[in-house]
Amino acid sequence: MNDVLNNIIVPVLYLLSAVLFIFGLKGLTRVRSARRGNALAALAMLIAIVTTLLDLGVVDYQWIIAGLIIGGLIGGIAAIKVEMTSMPEMVALFNGFGGGASALVALSIVWKALIEPAFAGSAAEALGGASAVTAFLSILIGSITLTGSFVAFLKLSGKIGGQPTLLPARHVINGLFFLGCLAAGIYIGFFSTEPSTMVMGALVATAISLILGVLLVIPIGGADMPVIISFLNSLSGLAAAMTGFVLSNNVLIISGALVGASGLILTQIMCVAMNRTLSNVLFSGFGQEGGSADAGEYGTVRSYSPEEAAMVLETVESLVIVPGYGLAVAQAQHTVKELADLLQKRGVKVSYAIHPVAGRMPGHMNVLLAEADVPYEQLIEMDTINPEFKQTDAVLVVGANDVVNPAAEKDPTSPIAGMPVLQVWEAQSVMMIKRSLSPGFAGIKNELFEYDNNMMIFGDAKKVLQEIVSEVKSLIAAA
Amino acid sequence: MMGPLLVGIYVFVLACFVGFEIITKIPPTLHTPLMSGANAISGITLVGSIAAASSGEIIMSSILAFVAIIFATINVVGGFLVTDRMLGMFSKKKAKS
């Protein structure tokens, strides 16, 4: 009976789980099937967990059940309580826990196989060369994911500044740390002969990996967050796959590879949207040559009041709204929708132009506007909307800056030269709601502020929009 | 007969291709839910943590595995729930229009 269970039922159930993961992920790529896809993936996870318990047979379940309950409660409560606007940091945090778990499993295996039985020999002798290598990789990648995601979480939630923190000679420091970690890994893998040195080596490797995770994300500015979050997501998948190699568990290898691949594609999409390479994002510390504090003086900037903006809006026939991170910070998504509804009732054609890296995570604006019930048919991608700006009466930019900067196209010396941007300046008139003239995360001047067809409306996005809404309402009532 | 490592590498490489193939075209609307859903899937390492935590003794390896279970479960439960919440907003809108 046990033979049948272990040799047939368990592998078949694992296979079923892997197939469901693939279908689930495929479902997530279409709006229509996305929710079912997510549910399928959750079902796959449940099957994998039950199968693992079956495979273990009769063991001491108390720790397993306690862990599942504690983790389930924390994760569940956090997921239900979190505001939609805090979604980027929540995803980053969850991701870190996943990576950390992979590293912990690998460490647990090292302890169980080598240190606790006081094994006199290297990890390669106890686990086999391949498992020793993958266990080390699991510790390295998992730990980097843990602390890297945690720093990303702190940056996204504003607990530490979003500006890149650049240590002097950080490439040298990172390189030395990496080599040190590698040396510790090779030592425990192939040369350590005593449990005490093994403990030392494992702890050193883990500690350095944890530090590396911090050092990797600290120099990355807020605008690059969509890239780094996708990348960390990919890493957590790879860490899981490495754990799968150590345990010879194909479900782990398959799901880990799926996540690794999908994260990498998303990273690539985000990089293309900023006209940069991944290595450029990771190692360049954006904005350092542009100078972040002094972003240039501005000449004539027309500042308008919400009343004046409302008068413009009352006359337009088409309006494109460009949301940015400022919209998320001000939580103005509902007010934007209110304004759009008001104008649509008057026959104005309203659409939203979504830049791929607007916000702090891939698709951030889409989620935010979905929360306010904006139909996703109105959300237009950059390539589709750019040719339409010429026929657009007015553009309302809410809390976005770098993604509408004409310098990307017109100034070849600009740090963001070549980055695809929304060509809002082609429209009849542009209104920018912004708190001040301060530069965006790229830390560069935005010439759009000085354009003749641009007006600045200074203030908090939500407050300004509320005033515009009430002004438009009274204008309509008066007419 | 291939060794387990080689089988693992085969599986890994093929799964990477499957991943690339299904994800290549994805509407930007779904970037966040896809990322968050994939993130929940990476919590599959929970399976590894459970296997590692099967001894009842309070020793270092069990403690590490116990913490791993907590971490991975947070990732799994939180990840799937958050994704479902996000996707719920998309479908709510569809029902209306």
Side-chain angles (χ1 to χ4, degrees), chain A residues 21-372:
Chain A
F21 273 127
I22 293 174
F23 274 113
L25 207 55
K26 181 152 183 62
L28 276 171
T29 60
R30 294 287 167 269
V31 176
R32 205 176 282 273
S33 57
R35 205 167 186 187
R36 199 178 17 157
N38 185 51
L40 272 182
L43 176 68
M45 186 66 75
L46 187 67
I47 293 175
I49 293 166
V50 171
T51 309
T52 309
L53 292 174
L54 274 180
D55 192 23
L56 286 176
V58 184
V59 293
D60 207 325
Y61 285 115
Q62 53 185 5
W63 289 106
I64 298 174
I65 291 171
L68 287 173
I69 291 176
I70 297 173
L73 280 178
I74 298 174
I77 291 171
I80 291 167
K81 286 237 159 141
V82 63
E83 296 280 330
M84 276 297 149
T85 40
S86 312
M87 217 46 109
E89 52 261 40
M90 204 69 229
V91 174
L93 199 58
F94 286 152
N95 192 49
F97 282 123
S102 290
L104 285 167
V105 173
L107 282 172
S108 168
I109 289 166
V110 168
W111 248 266
K112 193 180 230 157
L114 291 148
I115 294 160
E116 278 154 11
F119 184 84
S122 68
E125 287 169 76
L127 298 165
S131 290
V133 171
T134 46
F136 167 69
L137 286 177
S138 182
I139 294 173
L140 173 72
I141 303 175
S143 304
I144 288 179
T145 311
L146 175 69
T147 49
S149 301
F150 198 67
V151 174
F153 162 77
L154 290 176
K155 284 199 171 203
L156 288 167
S157 57
K159 291 190 172 68
I160 56 176
Q163 295 295 338
T165 308
L166 301 174
L167 298 174
R170 63 189 193 288
H171 296 310
V172 178
I173 297 175
N174 286 355
L176 286 177
F177 270 124
F178 183 73
L179 288 179
C181 191
L182 213 57
I186 292 171
Y187 179 72
I188 55 173
F190 300 98
F191 296 105
S192 166
T193 49
E194 274 178 67
S196 61
T197 54
M198 186 70 71
V199 174
M200 211 46 220
L203 288 181
V204 167
T206 312
I208 296 181
S209 308
L210 290 170
I211 296 171
L212 268 177
V214 175
L215 293 179
L216 203 65
V217 181
I218 278 274
I220 288 169
D224 287 339
M225 275 301 159
V227 179
I228 200 68
I229 288 200
S230 317
F231 184 63
L232 287 168
N233 187 22
S234 177
L235 283 187
S236 74
L238 283 183
M242 290 309 138
T243 313
F245 276 108
V246 183
L247 296 167
S248 304
N249 184 323
N250 282 336
V251 175
L252 273 166
I253 297 180
I254 294 173
S255 344
L258 287 175
V259 177
S262 74
L264 218 52
I265 290 184
L266 217 48
T267 311
Q268 183 59 27
I269 294 176
M270 294 302 124
C271 284
V272 168
M274 299 201 299
N275 189 38
R276 303 175 60 196
T277 60
L278 179 60
S279 66
N280 183 265
V281 171
L282 288 178
F283 302 119
S284 81
F286 198 63
Q288 71 209 67
E289 56 288 274
S292 53
D294 177 40
E297 294 293 311
Y298 285 98
T300 39
V301 174
R302 271 158 298 277
S303 167
Y304 275 56
S305 66
E307 290 91 331
E308 289 164 306
M311 277 187 250
V312 175
L313 286 173
E314 206 233 344
T315 61
V316 300
E317 282 171 13
S318 53
L319 173 72
V320 175
I321 297 168
V322 179
Y325 185 57
L327 180 87
V329 173
Q331 304 235 24
Q333 65 272 31
H334 294 280
T335 324
V336 159
K337 170 77 163 42
E338 201 186 341
L339 179 66
D341 283 347
L342 205 59
L343 294 170
Q344 269 175 319
K345 264 190 216 136
R346 293 172 49 85
V348 179
K349 182 173 169 277
V350 180
S351 44
Y352 298 80
I354 310 293
H355 192 280
V357 293
R360 293 290 173 268
M361 73 176 166
H364 192 175
M365 292 300 120
N366 302 73
V367 177
L368 203 64
L369 292 171
E371 196 213 347

Side-chain angles (χ1 to χ4, degrees), chain B residues 23-40:
Chain B
I23 308 295
T24 41
K25 283 211 104 184
I26 162 152
T29 311
L30 289 176
H31 281 169
T32 303
L34 172 82
M35 192 180 66
S36 146
N39 171 27

